[in-house]
Amino acid sequence: MPTFVEAVQTVEDAAELRRRLAERIDAIGEALDLLESWTEESRETQTELASKYDTAKQLARDEIQAASDGDEDAEDLAAVDLLDHPAVDDGTKERLQEYSTKLSVYLNREESYGAARSALLGALDDELDLYARLLPELETGRTSVASGREQIARFARDDTLGPPNRTAADVVLEADVDET
């Protein structure tokens, strides 16, 4: 199936190109919604992992407090010290280690994903700007169909993420299809 960039290269009629641009603007809206959804899911996952990690730390601190009859203040102990403390149950240590590792791995992965989402968001904005500019120019005749097609092809080739026949919207929308 041809990409949007490939499909518009055969369009000769200004009205047809405007129709396809309007549809593409809607598709970019869907891509932006997906990015927003992925970002929200990411925040929720991070919050859940952080909560589980904090709960495990608090449980370890509570175990220290209970073992010392309240004489030892565990609130200021670092997580690594909690792992080494003899009053902390082995199961609690395992959970603390597990959630510490999961949170650390998640945050490292999320850092690169966050950068990718930011890059995609910028590319989608640029793509949207191009189409929003081309629509009225095609309507008034200031831009010809051939020039519009060339601007779209040049944008995909030179100014967006991915291969030269795809734009950021294609990348995001195809990623969503791959996830389902």
Side-chain angles (χ1 to χ4, degrees):
M1 181 164 172
T3 66
F4 171 78
V5 174
E6 294 166 335
V8 297
Q9 296 310 306
T10 61
V11 173
E12 298 292 332
D13 179 60
E16 176 64 14
L17 185 55
R18 286 193 313 271
R19 184 188 67 74
R20 290 191 186 200
L21 285 174
E23 288 174 354
R24 187 60 170 191
I25 288 171
D26 289 343
I28 292 171
E30 290 175 32
L32 288 167
D33 288 346
L34 281 170
L35 274 179
E36 185 178 320
S37 171
W38 293 341
T39 301
E40 183 58 31
E41 287 172 13
S42 171
R43 281 190 204 113
E44 289 171 4
T45 300
Q46 181 175 341
T47 299
E48 180 182 336
L49 285 173
S51 175
K52 288 179 179 180
Y53 177 63
D54 288 341
T55 299
K57 285 192 305 186
Q58 190 56 52
L59 180 59
R61 289 182 174 123
D62 291 347
E63 290 174 2
I64 293 169
Q65 287 289 128
S68 70
D69 292 325
D71 292 338
E72 188 174 351
D73 184 15
E75 290 305 313
D76 294 332
L77 288 177
V80 71
D81 294 332
L82 295 172
L83 288 170
D84 293 332
H85 201 286
V88 178
D89 179 74
D90 287 342
T92 302
K93 287 179 182 180
E94 286 176 23
R95 280 192 297 281
L96 183 58
Q97 183 66 47
E98 175 188 351
Y99 289 120
S100 171
T101 301
K102 284 182 178 180
L103 184 59
S104 177
V105 167
Y106 180 80
L107 291 173
N108 287 338
R109 186 186 76 187
E110 191 54 31
E111 187 176 323
S112 64
Y113 284 173
R117 279 193 301 270
S118 292
L120 283 168
L121 182 59
L124 286 169
D125 285 343
D126 291 346
E127 188 174 352
L128 187 59
D129 290 346
L130 171 66
Y131 303 150
R133 182 181 51 76
L134 280 175
L135 264 176
E137 289 179 3
L138 286 163
E139 182 81 35
T140 62
R142 280 193 351 218
T143 297
S144 68
V145 171
S147 175
R149 288 192 318 248
E150 175 53 35
Q151 288 179 57
I152 293 167
R154 186 174 43 250
F155 175 80
R157 183 181 60 243
D158 299 338
D159 299 329
T160 195
L161 307 170
N165 65 336
R166 285 183 162 70
T167 64
D170 296 311
V171 171
V172 172
L173 295 171
E174 288 171 6
D176 183 53
V177 169
D178 291 344
E179 283 187 359
T180 57

